[in-house]
């Protein structure tokens, strides 16, 4: 069994427990009381004219299956505030509990602290989780192509749009990119971490990014490089090969000055964009 499938088994168990406490109908009523979702597509440079700099999706991430404990993060809201001050366009919040030590409480805290879009980073495997994300103020969800059938991918993406949200549609292979393009995904992530071994191969991004066409939707999809950002050299590499945004977790939560690091990454990306 791949690591992904093992994680999703746990996610489904935890989801079932939450569903026993709050029905879908009750959750949908809660959504009616939440402020409308912020426009994450625009925040990432949805208008082609706004794609002249690199966008940063900064992640609140305590641990990972590959590295174990990364950071304690006693105050996720304070960290997210530093991210926003550094120039992050979106804050990503891990809510998976078993492998990442995240929670919906973290999402609530971050949502209350920042004015930019927030991504609920979890292993979406049921429409309930999309409604749940919106009820907790998320503006985006993560949809992992490898974890979903074509029918699920299309219907989950439609639901996010129905709720005024966006989705980062995560891919790992050329075949998965083709599936994302087929459902007109507006934001396509390329994760360079192997789902079976958890190894990172940064060369995967360069090999795959060219397979995302620029004209299947207005202005073309936003391309997000996921995993493997350690320093400015990695930022330059991803940007040079077509990234409009980078998703960074470990490098920021382990840095004593995450605000300054984001500013540095953005400056590096802007320079790389100007020369590509």
């Amino acid at each position: 069994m791949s690591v992904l499938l093992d994680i999703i088994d746990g996610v489904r168990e935890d989801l079932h427990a939450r569903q026993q406490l709050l029905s879908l109908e009750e959750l949908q009523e809660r959504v009616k009381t939440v402020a409308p979702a912020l426009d994450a597509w625009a925040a990432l440079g949805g208008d082609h004219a706004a794609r002249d700099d690199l966008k940063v999706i900064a992640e609140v991430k305590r641990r990972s299956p590959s590295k174990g404990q990364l950071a304690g993060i006693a105050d996720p809201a304070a960290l997210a505030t530093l991210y926003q001050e550094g120039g992050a366009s979106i804050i990503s919040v891990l809510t998976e509990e078993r492998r990442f030590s995240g929670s919906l409480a973290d999402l609530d805290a971050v949502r209350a602290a920042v004015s930019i879009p927030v991504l609920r980073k979890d292993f979406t495997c049921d429409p309930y989780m999309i409604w749940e994300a919106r009820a907790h103020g998320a503006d985006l969800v993560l949809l992992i192509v490898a974890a979903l059938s074509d029918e699920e991918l299309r219907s989950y993406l439609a639901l996010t749009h129905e709720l005024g949200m966006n989705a980062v549609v995560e891919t790992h292979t050329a075949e998965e990119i083709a599936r994302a393009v087929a459902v007109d995904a507006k934001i396509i992530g390329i994760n360079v971490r192997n789902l079976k071994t958890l190894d990172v191969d940064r060369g995967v991004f360069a090999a795959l990014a060219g397979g995302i066409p620029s004209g299947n939707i207005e202005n073309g999809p936003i391309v997000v490089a996921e995993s493997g950002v350690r320093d400015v050299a990695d930022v330059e590499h991803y940007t040079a090969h077509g990234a409009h945004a980078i998703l960074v977790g470990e490098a920021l939560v382990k840095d004593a000055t995450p605000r300054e690091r984001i500013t540095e990454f953005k400056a590096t990306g802007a320079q790389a964009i100007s020369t590509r």
Side-chain angles (χ1 to χ4, degrees):
M1 178 182 291
S2 73
V3 174
L4 176 63
L5 294 179
D6 190 34
I7 291 173
I8 289 177
D9 282 346
V11 168
R12 289 189 184 280
E13 288 184 24
D14 294 339
L15 170 62
H16 180 71
R18 295 196 304 276
Q19 289 174 314
Q20 302 312 300
L21 298 175
L22 187 70
S23 71
L24 176 59
E25 292 73 20
E26 291 171 314
L27 190 61
Q28 291 170 334
E29 287 301 313
R30 288 194 182 186
V31 167
K32 295 178 182 178
T33 69
V34 177
L38 300 177
D39 190 345
W41 164 250
L44 288 175
D47 183 341
H48 218 48
R51 299 187 190 183
D52 56 354
D53 67 339
L54 182 72
K55 313 300 183 184
V56 174
I57 303 174
E59 192 155 84
V60 176
K61 181 178 185 180
R62 289 191 175 88
R63 64 179 294 116
S64 75
S66 60
K67 296 291 185 67
Q69 185 73 15
L70 300 174
I73 312 182
D75 190 345
L79 178 59
T81 299
L82 290 176
Y83 287 168
Q84 179 173 263
E85 291 172 352
S89 295
I90 289 174
I91 308 298
S92 172
V93 183
L94 262 301
T95 60
E96 197 278 335
E97 298 181 27
R98 300 187 183 204
R99 300 293 188 97
F100 294 88
S101 298
S103 70
L104 287 166
D106 287 348
L107 181 60
D108 291 337
V110 170
R111 173 71 286 163
V114 301
S115 58
I116 57 178
V118 175
L119 163 66
R120 182 199 182 173
K121 184 86 173 294
D122 211 317
F123 298 79
T124 308
C125 56
D126 189 282
Y128 184 98
M129 296 180 69
I130 301 173
W131 285 97
E132 192 175 48
R134 184 79 280 271
H136 285 267
D139 308 288
L140 306 92
V141 294
L142 180 72
L143 300 179
I144 302 175
V145 174
L148 302 170
S149 67
D150 287 343
E151 181 179 352
E152 287 171 331
L153 182 59
R154 188 177 296 279
S155 65
Y156 289 11
L157 190 57
L159 178 57
T160 63
H161 293 161
E162 178 185 327
L163 294 176
M165 306 169 74
N166 280 283
V168 176
V169 179
E170 180 176 296
T171 64
H172 300 81
T173 66
E175 185 269 338
E176 290 175 10
I177 286 176
R179 292 177 59 200
V181 169
V183 297
D184 287 337
K186 296 171 67 177
I187 305 169
I188 298 178
I190 297 176
N191 194 331
V192 301
R193 188 178 300 279
N194 186 298
L195 293 177
K196 294 181 180 179
T197 66
L198 298 182
D199 292 336
V200 168
D201 180 356
R202 293 166 186 83
V204 167
F205 184 84
L208 296 180
I212 300 177
S214 60
N216 66 310
I217 55 178
E218 185 179 0
N219 294 322
I222 296 291
V223 181
V224 182
E226 301 181 56
S227 297
V229 177
R230 301 162 297 186
D231 50 34
V232 294
D234 294 325
V235 175
E236 288 176 341
H237 171 76
Y238 286 141
T239 308
H241 288 94
H244 302 115
I246 54 172
L247 191 154
V248 193
E250 180 181 346
L252 295 179
V253 301
K254 296 174 72 173
D255 196 305
T257 57
R259 175 174 51 197
E260 290 73 16
R261 196 63 54 238
I262 290 172
T263 301
E264 179 186 40
F265 286 172
K266 285 181 64 63
T268 298
Q271 177 63 29
I273 286 174
S274 71
T275 59
R276 74 183 181 193

